[in-house]
Amino acid sequence: MFDYVTLKFIWWLLVGVLLLGFAIMDGHDMGVGGLLPFVGKNDDERRAILNSVGPHWEGNQVWFVTAGGAIFAAWPLVYAAAFSGFYFAMLAVLWALFFRPVGFDYRSKVGDPRWRNAWDWGIFVGSAVPALVFGVAIGNVIQGVPFHFEDNMMPVYTGSFWALFNPFALIAGVVSLAMLVSHGANYLILRTEGDIQRRAGRASVIASVVMLAGFAIGGFIVAGMQGYLITSPIDPGAAQSPLDKVAIQQAGAWLGNFKQHPLLIALPALGFLGGLLSIVFALSKRGGLAFISSAVAELGIIFTAGTAIFPFVMPSSSDPRSSLTAWDCVSSQRTLSIMFWVALVMTPIIIAYTTWAYRVMRGKVTVEFIKANDRSAY
């Protein structure tokens, strides 16, 4: 049995792993959907693109659902504060996501080009909008979210929907979108051939350059940004209320963990290295290595953001003491312990069946395949 502080850290790490799993698995589906109207120039090419992810895209959403469920169970205060504060942004994501299952299932039911083109753009919206909004949300978390807790621990959000789309948050949104588009393009390099593969290679290079530029610009902004520090004594191993601590804002505070632990510089280095290798392998049409490289870039970028603000999980810009940290936003020790053992059993099972599914469905998806399976393919 782990002690409470260890379980708190484990669940901070596991939530990060689940978000990374979402970015790698469902992220490449979203990237492919975001490229659909641009990489596919006719109906057969677009069907080939859709069928490259067709057998897997629904299963990959388990990472998205599991990450949301883990936040609800492990970090209930974060779930309450974030989903109330980002309510309309989350609704926009949900509405956009509606287009994906309907688009996949109904696009090819009618032969009218106008019908199919409309659903192609619907799939684009259902893929690009969530990727952008997720990045915008992370950008706002890094800056601090305007919320506070009342005496009864009810979270109160004092910001507005449009304020979420501030310059730094939009940069984070562009990084998120470019990251997933690059990853999706690399998947298309791996799974397609001919003109589709060539266009996907160009898209991967462009998206990777945008991602790297945005990541670098965001890093310079964060270096001078008002971060957050806890100035009061805390006991990470005890059950705590967020309002028991004293927190302040301080310029450059988000670099503190990297200064105290220089080896953590490896995380942003992985982000840049993965992006650069993705460009190199995309140019040489080595899809498997490009896909692995963009996954490494996602690991570096996601964990750079999480490590920079640790132990904060959702800082408050309007009342710093209401900020939520990995030490005071969590469920009970018993809940975290039960969830840990469930995750220890179920995560390998998910990875195993996902690996099996991709192995069975491996190989190229070509225009000729679509023509030969016209009635059974998406």
Side-chain angles (χ1 to χ4, degrees):
M1 178 67 71
F2 295 108
D3 59 30
Y4 202 12
V5 65
T6 302
L7 284 169
K8 289 178 180 181
F9 180 76
I10 286 173
W11 274 101
W12 174 85
L13 193 62
L14 282 177
V15 169
V17 169
L18 289 171
L19 292 175
L20 176 63
F22 162 71
I24 293 174
M25 301 308 298
D26 204 21
H28 77 258
D29 296 338
M30 288 185 171
V32 168
L35 289 169
L36 179 63
F38 310 105
V39 174
K41 297 301 183 182
N42 56 53
D43 184 62
D44 287 335
E45 289 184 349
R46 291 182 179 183
R47 292 186 72 185
I49 291 170
L50 288 175
N51 281 274
S52 71
V53 297
H56 311 292
W57 74 271
E58 288 181 291
N60 286 337
Q61 291 191 118
V62 70
W63 293 96
F64 178 45
V65 175
T66 304
I71 292 173
F72 170 76
W75 295 345
L77 292 179
V78 173
Y79 186 91
F83 277 72
S84 58
F86 298 151
Y87 184 78
F88 289 107
M90 292 298 104
L91 277 182
V93 168
L94 183 62
W95 291 333
L97 286 173
F98 289 158
F99 288 106
R100 294 183 75 200
V102 181
F104 270 91
D105 288 337
Y106 287 97
R107 178 199 181 277
S108 297
K109 300 292 186 184
V110 177
D112 188 334
R114 293 171 299 180
W115 170 272
R116 295 188 173 187
N117 189 60
W119 282 116
D120 289 342
W121 284 102
I123 293 171
F124 165 79
V125 170
S127 302
V129 169
L132 178 69
V133 173
F134 290 147
V136 167
I138 296 300
N140 278 278
V141 168
I142 292 172
Q143 294 177 100
V145 181
F147 78 97
H148 66 272
F149 285 103
E150 296 183 338
D151 292 338
N152 61 359
M153 294 305 297
M154 179 178 291
V156 178
Y157 179 70
T158 56
S160 68
F161 172 74
W162 295 113
L164 295 175
F165 297 90
N166 55 76
F168 177 77
L170 288 174
I171 291 173
V174 169
V175 170
S176 173
L177 178 59
M179 180 175 73
L180 299 191
V181 167
S182 170
H183 198 47
N186 289 337
Y187 183 76
L188 287 178
I189 296 172
L190 178 65
R191 293 297 310 278
T192 62
E193 58 185 29
D195 291 337
I196 300 174
Q197 188 185 59
R198 283 191 290 273
R199 296 187 200 112
R202 289 196 295 269
S204 174
V205 171
I206 294 171
S208 295
V209 169
V210 172
M211 175 190 73
L212 292 172
F215 188 41
I217 293 170
F220 282 114
I221 295 174
V222 168
M225 180 184 293
Q226 291 283 326
Y228 294 78
L229 286 174
I230 298 173
T231 58
S232 60
I234 59 170
D235 180 5
Q240 302 177 30
S241 165
L243 300 180
D244 290 341
K245 65 180 177 297
V246 176
I248 62 170
Q249 290 181 297
Q250 186 177 93
W254 287 153
L255 299 183
N257 287 331
F258 297 102
K259 292 176 180 178
Q260 292 178 22
H261 308 283
L263 288 178
L264 293 175
I265 296 296
L267 292 173
L270 282 176
F272 286 110
L273 179 63
L276 291 172
L277 288 176
S278 174
I279 294 172
V280 171
F281 291 130
L283 288 172
S284 59
K285 297 182 182 178
R286 302 173 72 178
L289 291 174
F291 187 79
I292 293 171
S293 297
S294 53
V296 169
E298 290 176 338
L299 184 155
I301 291 171
I302 291 171
F303 274 91
T304 292
T307 300
I309 69 174
F310 183 82
F312 290 90
V313 175
M314 187 173 173
S316 169
S317 59
S318 56
D319 179 26
R321 77 173 186 141
S322 291
S323 299
L324 296 172
T325 73
W327 313 132
D328 59 26
C329 72
V330 298
S331 295
S332 68
Q333 183 175 357
R334 183 179 182 84
T335 300
L336 296 183
S337 181
I338 292 172
M339 289 173 55
F340 169 75
W341 293 111
V342 171
L344 193 66
V345 173
M346 295 305 299
T347 303
I349 293 175
I350 294 172
I351 293 173
Y353 77 64
T354 301
T355 303
W356 175 83
Y358 272 86
R359 179 174 176 79
V360 170
M361 300 293 180
R362 68 188 183 277
K364 299 287 187 179
V365 180
T366 64
V367 171
E368 289 72 24
F369 171 84
I370 297 301
K371 291 179 178 178
N373 297 271
D374 181 65
R375 294 190 176 277
S376 60
Y378 278 118

